[in-house]
Amino acid sequence: MGEELKIIVKKEDRAFFHNHVDYCIGTGRMGLALTKEYQEQLKLVQAEIGFKHIRGHGLFCDDMAIYQETEDGDAEYNFTYLDRVMDSYRELGLKPFLELGFMPGKMARGEQTIFYWKGNTTPPASYEAWEDLVKATLEHLCGRYGREEVVSWPVEVWNEPNLPGFWEHADMQEYFKLFRRTIAAVKEVDGRFRVGGPAVCGGSDEVWIQAFLEYCRDNGVEPDFITRHHYTTGLPEYVGHYGYPELMEAEEGFANLHTTREIIDSFPAYRGKEIHITEFNTSYIPNAPLHDSCRNAAYIAHQLSKLGDDNASYSYWTFGDVFEEQGVPFTPFHGGFGLVADGCIPKPTFWSFVFFKRLKEKKGHCILRDGSAVVMRLEDGSYRGVAWNYTVGRKGESCLLMLEMKEEGEGCLLTETVDEEHGNPLKVWHDLGEPAHLTEQERKILRSAARPFVETRRVGPEGGNAGASFPVRENAVVYFEWRPGGIVSDRGYSYGRAVQ
Amino acid sequence: MGEELKIIVKKEDRAFFHNHVDYCIGTGRMGLALTKEYQEQLKLVQAEIGFKHIRGHGLFCDDMAIYQETEDGDAEYNFTYLDRVMDSYRELGLKPFLELGFMPGKMARGEQTIFYWKGNTTPPASYEAWEDLVKATLEHLCGRYGREEVVSWPVEVWNEPNLPGFWEHADMQEYFKLFRRTIAAVKEVDGRFRVGGPAVCGGSDEVWIQAFLEYCRDNGVEPDFITRHHYTTGLPEYVGHYGYPELMEAEEGFANLHTTREIIDSFPAYRGKEIHITEFNTSYIPNAPLHDSCRNAAYIAHQLSKLGDDNASYSYWTFGDVFEEQGVPFTPFHGGFGLVADGCIPKPTFWSFVFFKRLKEKKGHCILRDGSAVVMRLEDGSYRGVAWNYTVGRKGESCLLMLEMKEEGEGCLLTETVDEEHGNPLKVWHDLGEPAHLTEQERKILRSAARPFVETRRVGPEGGNAGASFPVRENAVVYFEWRPGGIVSDRGYSYGRAVQ
Amino acid sequence: MGEELKIIVKKEDRAFFHNHVDYCIGTGRMGLALTKEYQEQLKLVQAEIGFKHIRGHGLFCDDMAIYQETEDGDAEYNFTYLDRVMDSYRELGLKPFLELGFMPGKMARGEQTIFYWKGNTTPPASYEAWEDLVKATLEHLCGRYGREEVVSWPVEVWNEPNLPGFWEHADMQEYFKLFRRTIAAVKEVDGRFRVGGPAVCGGSDEVWIQAFLEYCRDNGVEPDFITRHHYTTGLPEYVGHYGYPELMEAEEGFANLHTTREIIDSFPAYRGKEIHITEFNTSYIPNAPLHDSCRNAAYIAHQLSKLGDDNASYSYWTFGDVFEEQGVPFTPFHGGFGLVADGCIPKPTFWSFVFFKRLKEKKGHCILRDGSAVVMRLEDGSYRGVAWNYTVGRKGESCLLMLEMKEEGEGCLLTETVDEEHGNPLKVWHDLGEPAHLTEQERKILRSAARPFVETRRVGPEGGNAGASFPVRENAVVYFEWRPGGIVSDRGYSYGRAVQ
Amino acid sequence: MGEELKIIVKKEDRAFFHNHVDYCIGTGRMGLALTKEYQEQLKLVQAEIGFKHIRGHGLFCDDMAIYQETEDGDAEYNFTYLDRVMDSYRELGLKPFLELGFMPGKMARGEQTIFYWKGNTTPPASYEAWEDLVKATLEHLCGRYGREEVVSWPVEVWNEPNLPGFWEHADMQEYFKLFRRTIAAVKEVDGRFRVGGPAVCGGSDEVWIQAFLEYCRDNGVEPDFITRHHYTTGLPEYVGHYGYPELMEAEEGFANLHTTREIIDSFPAYRGKEIHITEFNTSYIPNAPLHDSCRNAAYIAHQLSKLGDDNASYSYWTFGDVFEEQGVPFTPFHGGFGLVADGCIPKPTFWSFVFFKRLKEKKGHCILRDGSAVVMRLEDGSYRGVAWNYTVGRKGESCLLMLEMKEEGEGCLLTETVDEEHGNPLKVWHDLGEPAHLTEQERKILRSAARPFVETRRVGPEGGNAGASFPVRENAVVYFEWRPGGIVSDRGYSYGRAVQ
């Protein structure tokens, strides 16, 4: 045990903490939502976490088969797969956060594609045809799911146009045109739709967001919110099928995010406009073994404690590992973006989300937030918190989290721990020999090993104070809950004699 | 860490071990099989363990409603509930081990009843009526489930007639008559039925079994197998709703069982006749908190390693806690007999059965058995074992189990641990304040806490020998499995870099 | 085809129709809710119909085990089974309509019991003990399910005290005392509880209700609503296990119900007070083969069209056939009260409820109600209706229902028919030889045969009017729905060529 | 009613009938097996019919991602999706009938592709690379599913090489080379694999099969069985998204099939060699509305009665409508090949398979087969049969099927009917307006309407003979079952009084 992390809980404390952990989650391209493994992973995610929105690429890609042409070249729209996907989301309690893109092959101006699955990333040959597609799609959705419902689905225009791979030549003016034409088309369907952009990735975001807002201001375009992405690793080193990036200091990233806030607020008309981080994760590649680790979970826990400061939402990229941007993975633990590995095995980061979601389940307020923990006091007199241990450059250290709950009486402390030895299927998979193809028994072992370690203890007033401590090992994420109340034994029952 | 338990595994070793862990399981009275909670507990048991037979009381009790009378006093049989129960067993892959009893109220000679649920424990007013009932029931079962199938269900006559509560006055001659009349009736339906008795509880068993066999020998009665029970605690001390007994030395019990074997073998005609222990557990009361503890699990693990020495089967009493002999329990952890607590929460002893069942799943042979462990070598080159730490009067000691696998190469050691801190919902329930009525959240916590701790490690050749050690704490039961083989990493994958 | 039943639908018509079809459903004694078959039948009922409340006997009967006594004779309450039952109801979206009764054996003044399951029907030995039981039970429910929720559960005091079997000597003054003490106890727990009585069966109801209201008025007792029962057959003729009653003219029953309304309204203080029919059915015996027939379904459809005229609710007795008042049934179709036969087979009357429920699913208003049909016009421009053909003494006649929808355009007429040949498992079961014990294949056949016949047809404007007709055979219940709109064929699709 | 179809059942009759209805079923390309809708349709098919094998295209197509190349151009195999698909088949009790094809893009000699999903249909650039792929795939399957199991999966080489779309230039010699190299590679993995070809479609089959067998004979190639396809319509007329073909006389098709038998038998070495029809259906296009009709069901019923005469199996193309050869369908009833329409709605032809499967469920023998019916007598004394009414050029006629069961006593006749008005969701969908996007209510209606009409009647001895008749309307398929035995009523039960 190294450093001691002492948390003194005082009822009357108040801390600033906006918890939007469950607003939105990312997904690989929409066409994959037709698959069974995808749906099973998403079902698990919804059962244990329960997100409100889902956002991903590929709404208009060819595998969704929306845009078709007759023998005479006239457009005809096919919503068979769109309905199937949307039905499945709604069955799981999810609303889409619609990303309009990429370009149907037959409508595209060029032939540039991105990814293994070949999404066309060029502008439309005809903006009228694009507008028709957007309007027809939204009208269809309104018809099927109810207009009142569908206008509550946020709409984003395209993805990362500041990268030439995602938008030919990263042509800024062309994107602004696309945005202007698209927002107009969407509002034509229903003025209540909320539409945002420019969905840029980090790095050059300042330039783009500044220019985007100037364009909007100068052209009478009124975005309803601003979107950007947030990844926190450097360039990976590639070896074989995998890439190994370095994590950056979290503060660097938060500072970068804050500049976006400042740029927006520098425009009087846009001051306070919502920012939605429509993608975030540590690494931006779908084959970074880092994603499957406890280290990732601890780092993301820290992110979840802070991202609400400046942003209305932040959508982890992605919920699961059914994802084909770099092809089909060779093994279940291949460093995919997902919270869940193939075979429906939760990764450590899954629990970071579960734990932060629990902080919202009941009414309460935050009494403490620092770089290693968040603690809520609930109206029913209980406490809930999450602690994590991630420190770049201080590897090997452990913390001991001490709760001192002055003025509280007897209670039960529940902890759920994810660390190297608990809730860490990656290690078990490695120890099993890194099998590429799991047997049924191995899948069962991995699923069992992927659950946090649940522990309870009685916490009583000692010298007038209630208090407890528990370790938060390196890269651990620990959920804790203190429930007030003494033991009420049934007549004649003695736990001591039961276990003597 | 106290004593060190060193197991040296040698491929060529052989040990005597008969593993009948899954032959039969006990159940409270049959009428309770109509309930949903019962079926859910049994479904869990069958999914994780998978017993072949199930035996319990109350086939002919009034709540099963089989025996009816017309306005004129003629018998009519109602098999509505019987079918419902039998259908449910078969859906879960279970065959009954039929216990014929107790007496339908309208057929009974007297009014003595037993238990909260008032099973009549007197002889039939008319043996002809009893024979008719037995025959009609078996004929009905043959008609519904197929004669070939039903004759494979063992039949036992009554339960613990050597106790006056279970059989009026514990009248030995009357029981012998019952047995003689019943076996004849059963064989009349089909000579292939296998019928046994006298189902005595321990204590006076020597006297009864001796007398029973003499009676059989002298009266031309041919039982197909002998049955008795096996409980291993002394008289409990009662406080309020609960009883607290002392565990006896396991060897005392084994010795007592062996006398049964010797008595039987002393009859030339019955030498080698199968013994079925149709009930066993530590305590014989359904409100002994001991049953819910790890201590019980470790004690039972030891039993499972030895009971096959003299006996063809041994049926743990009971699979679940839907059981009303002393009334309805006030709390989920009330010391019931079950492997599963109400709310479908596995108790530690559940895992003793899971672990011993795994020893049978694949072909192999036993290479080691001692008072703390059993180890199998499987044909696929892997090893599986169970270790436990139960020693009366040496509380507080821990063991370190060391495996030395000479001549074996690299592999993975998997352990699944149940002890004080793992797989022990009783402690968690206690810490939560011993809630009588579980909330949904509490049930979820308890179910999570009821799973064993799954751990893996790489085991490599060190100095020419493969070896590994792991702790077996007080009252722990640990399953371990060694799987041969090295790590085969996908191209470019480095676990070390993933978790750096 | 006999008589022609012509319904001319006019958009602007309005008819009086209060549809409380789904407010409440009856159930056999609460202890049976622990069984699996009960829960499966109830699940089916909730999935297809969806009731809001459930009411049945036996909350305080011994099998629920709520009232217990210590060795010293002190009361202690056991809510283990109560929670299990209530949890199961809530899982299916049901709130209880609590009937307080019968008397725990240990609390009872006398030994009189009713039914196979021996409910004690005598007053409490101590009214204080009774009040304590009532209060403890309600407090427990408030604690577990939330006070706000539980006070929305209506409470009724006892069942049919005007029958000496249900209340010793049918002692009116003793019942009034019970009511006064009980309502006071309930209101002490929370003044928002709504409490009613006297739960009388028909026949002597006028006397009892008059006297009850006088007592209340004179003693400052303020019931929140009045309850009574409603059965519509005469005395059955009994043969063997069954009883065969005659159906009465429906109008007789409605007239009798209306007198209750008039009696209440004759008390200025109680004018307009809600009446809840907490039980209704055709026959009042659980072994009347009539219950399983189409005739019953048609008769009940008529009831459902009228009972809302004077009453706030009417609870069909019962949802399913897990019910033991006269013992355990010998066959699946034994004339039980249930909408569902054992084996989860819907009876014809099940569909009467499904069909009336559909009339409420979307917003609309009633445009026609007569003795054979109810028709709603929905806000979306469609029509839904139920027609039935039940006429005492005019057996053998068929109707042809003609819809004339003036001013409506093209559309689709959907009918779902239950009659002799469709949705009638009783006939199929009879034809199969009346098997007492269903094989899996027979159960499957019966479930298939128990579904209504679904038929569609195009209805176009003919001579300016849209119209359609369909037969409503003797004892039939037919759901019909007219949906506006033409056929929109996909490009190139021709149904005519598909089926040429 | 037109023609009367009289079937006189005589116990002692015998008829020739080989029923291989459930040996194999077709599927669209294997990659679609990853989707949820596909799996749900297949689950329904397996639950109600239960096929043994499944065969489809696309094992080696790029979406299965098996063949990969490293940065250096070396082959590496990815079995992630293959395992997922095979696991799903095995979960549903299916074994693959492996079709080896088409060509991975990176391994192909040319760029010709087929279908919307672009299967490459050119020979391998390197036959060594192809052999390696085949061997690696089979070895992987043996490793995962067990060698004993996998060698029981039949293997077929490519698909319809006699069509230039499926095999570049329909190059016969190149196919023979492919066959020779492939069978050798497969046998190298395990000599027990059974391998067949040439998988030709009808039409030119005589030429190809003759030449194939000559090639085999002359080159020492020993195929284990011969495969071909069987479609029974002419060229369709195309309109918009659909095609409308004419059905041919069934006898023409059977005659064509018989020539294959004769060609094979003309080779002394191949006499009696098994023929597997690895695809059959009426039309060979996936957008023929005919497929969804009752007419198709009746025609296929006739096929099922005869195809076993010359062939070891016949695999209907396909089980479901998740199929993309001509793109994504615009509506649920688009004339796909499937037994099941999108939305898990069984089509009439589904029931032809269900009914023929029932003829095999119990032991028995065929006593009658003619052009309109097959009748089995089972060992338990019951009869089962299927009747259909399909006659080209005699539209509008109905049949009355009369059973005369001389020497049989009383019994129950069960019929399940699929015709225009029953089990015909196509008509209902049409009447509903041909909705392209089903609402939940519409899906429910269609599923209900897709079930056969179940009817029973008592059949008694009349004038010494048992007999019954029932209509078989135009395009109907009717399952019938006669079960011997009288009615055994429970004491006091009277059906007559129940329904009076």
Side-chain angles (χ1 to χ4, degrees), chain D residues 320-393:
Chain D
D321 271 0
V322 176
F323 189 88
E324 292 183 349
E325 293 191 358
Q326 301 303 325
V328 177
F330 282 72
T331 74
F333 287 91
H334 55 270
F337 287 116
L339 296 173
V340 179
D342 290 342
C344 272
I345 304 160
K347 301 181 190 175
T349 308
F350 180 92
W351 302 106
S352 300
F353 281 84
V354 169
F355 296 166
F356 271 83
K357 178 66 182 279
R358 287 195 196 145
L359 302 183
K360 299 185 68 170
E361 273 174 2
K362 292 188 175 178
K363 283 187 188 166
H365 58 267
C366 186
I367 57 169
L368 182 147
R369 179 178 72 156
D370 67 13
S372 303
V374 176
V375 185
M376 308 287 295
R377 179 174 161 87
L378 306 189
E379 288 186 358
D380 63 9
S382 66
Y383 295 85
R384 293 185 173 188
V386 181
W388 56 90
N389 181 351
Y390 174 78
T391 322
V392 173

Side-chain angles (χ1 to χ4, degrees), chain B residues 173-184:
Chain B
Q173 291 311 314
E174 190 76 38
Y175 175 76
F176 294 165
K177 179 178 178 189
L178 179 78
F179 187 84
R180 177 171 54 82
R181 299 288 295 249
T182 305
I183 191 171

Side-chain angles (χ1 to χ4, degrees), chain D residues 5-32:
Chain D
L5 206 165
K6 193 164 183 172
I7 295 182
I8 301 176
V9 170
K10 294 182 201 157
K11 278 185 186 177
E12 62 276 15
D13 280 352
R14 289 292 179 281
F16 181 82
F17 173 46
H18 284 167
N19 189 356
H20 306 308
V21 61
D22 58 346
Y23 183 81
C24 194
I25 185 68
T27 170
R29 79 175 201 273
M30 197 165 285
L32 291 170

Side-chain angles (χ1 to χ4, degrees), chain A residues 14-33:
Chain A
R14 288 292 180 281
F16 181 82
F17 173 46
H18 284 169
N19 189 356
H20 306 310
V21 61
D22 59 345
Y23 185 81
C24 193
I25 185 68
T27 170
R29 79 175 201 275
M30 196 164 286
L32 291 171

Side-chain angles (χ1 to χ4, degrees), chain A residues 156-198:
Chain A
E156 189 182 34
V157 180
W158 215 257
N159 182 69
E160 299 193 355
N162 62 327
L163 294 184
F166 275 110
W167 181 242
E168 208 175 23
H169 314 307
D171 182 335
M172 198 186 263
Q173 293 310 315
E174 191 75 39
Y175 175 76
F176 294 166
K177 180 179 177 187
L178 179 79
F179 187 83
R180 177 171 52 83
R181 299 288 295 251
T182 306
I183 190 171
V186 174
K187 300 279 185 178
E188 200 178 311
V189 174
D190 199 304
R192 292 172 296 174
F193 272 111
R194 301 184 73 243
V195 185

Side-chain angles (χ1 to χ4, degrees), chain D residues 191-203:
Chain D
R192 292 171 297 174
F193 272 111
R194 301 183 72 244
V195 185
V200 289
C201 76

Side-chain angles (χ1 to χ4, degrees), chain C residues 257-290:
Chain C
L257 288 175
H258 195 62
T259 62
T260 301
R261 180 74 272 160
E262 289 172 336
I263 292 167
I264 296 167
D265 290 348
S266 71
F267 288 77
Y270 302 139
R271 181 161 303 149
K273 186 77 73 182
E274 278 182 4
I275 305 172
H276 291 269
I277 302 180
T278 49
E279 289 182 19
F280 85 104
N281 202 322
T282 52
S283 164
Y284 52 79
I285 59 169
N287 48 351
L290 167 67

